[in-house]
Amino acid sequence: MKLLMIVLPGMIAVLFSLNLAVAAPSNTQDSSRHLYDRVMEEFKHRDYEAALAGFRFFLELHGQSSLAANAQYWVGECQYRLGRYKEALKSFSRVMSYYPLSPKLAASTLKIGQTYTRIKDHEKARMMYEQVIDEYPDSAEAELARKALDAAPMRDEEEPTPQLTGNSPPD
């Protein structure tokens, strides 16, 4: 509830600043981009709770927009950074299920592998890393997947996992 009290006024301010009362189709795209960019600023400032709420709000308002897959990816990224790994798995999986043509597929697949590594399910992590390499062999994500496989523990010991940070554009 406290989070809602913090985030809700900001989201209301965004809506009023966008004049969303009755938006024409071209204005809707502009307003969705404006809202998306505002929420990305929260993420860039590492306010993951606010960004998570903002991306969810974005998906409620603009779930059919061209930015919806990206917003879904960033929902997962916020959850991941907040340590909510099971929720993050679901969010990254939604990108793969609901947005099969998204440019965020490689990143989502990699993040699923990284999330499995975090929760110490090394077999599933390995499978996801191999999927990234097989399906996106020349991508930055494939390079990170190769590094993760190279660093994968032979036992259940904790090893660092290369993170996806800034290698793909934020939108």
Side-chain angles (χ1 to χ4, degrees):
M1 186 68 172
K2 185 177 181 182
L3 176 63
L4 185 61
M5 299 298 284
I6 294 169
V7 174
L8 191 57
M11 292 298 124
I12 291 171
V14 168
L15 283 176
F16 281 115
S17 72
L18 296 175
N19 291 323
L20 286 180
V22 180
S26 63
N27 286 346
T28 301
Q29 187 173 8
D30 291 344
S31 64
S32 69
R33 171 51 87 171
H34 184 71
L35 176 57
Y36 181 89
D37 290 344
R38 292 248 345 223
V39 177
M40 274 307 298
E41 286 302 312
E42 298 294 334
F43 182 86
K44 289 175 186 174
H45 287 102
R46 298 179 183 203
D47 189 349
Y48 302 125
E49 288 288 355
L52 177 59
F55 285 122
R56 285 178 171 159
F57 185 67
F58 177 91
L59 287 167
E60 285 181 32
L61 290 178
H62 305 289
Q64 300 302 312
S65 81
S66 61
L67 294 170
N70 293 0
Q72 183 62 56
Y73 170 84
W74 292 107
V75 165
E77 187 68 42
C78 289
Q79 292 163 329
Y80 180 89
R81 293 188 185 208
L82 291 166
R84 300 176 190 164
Y85 300 123
K86 289 184 180 181
E87 292 175 38
L89 282 173
K90 289 177 186 174
S91 294
F92 293 126
S93 294
R94 280 188 192 111
V95 175
M96 296 173 69
S97 297
Y98 299 143
Y99 308 100
L101 302 176
S102 170
K104 288 293 191 192
L105 288 178
S108 294
T109 308
L110 177 68
K111 288 305 289 198
I112 290 171
Q114 291 174 337
T115 305
Y116 278 129
T117 297
R118 288 285 184 163
I119 61 175
K120 299 182 190 247
D121 189 335
H122 299 297
E123 181 61 24
K124 286 182 182 174
R126 183 187 57 75
M127 288 174 26
M128 297 311 293
Y129 293 140
E130 288 174 353
Q131 183 176 339
V132 173
I133 294 165
D134 290 344
E135 293 181 14
Y136 314 99
D138 298 324
S139 67
E141 291 84 1
E143 184 59 32
L144 290 171
R146 286 183 195 94
K147 289 179 183 177
L149 286 172
D150 289 345
M154 293 298 176
R155 295 170 263 136
D156 283 335
E157 59 191 62
E158 185 65 26
E159 291 279 340
T161 302
Q163 298 297 308
L164 178 62
T165 55
N167 287 336
S168 64
D171 41 290

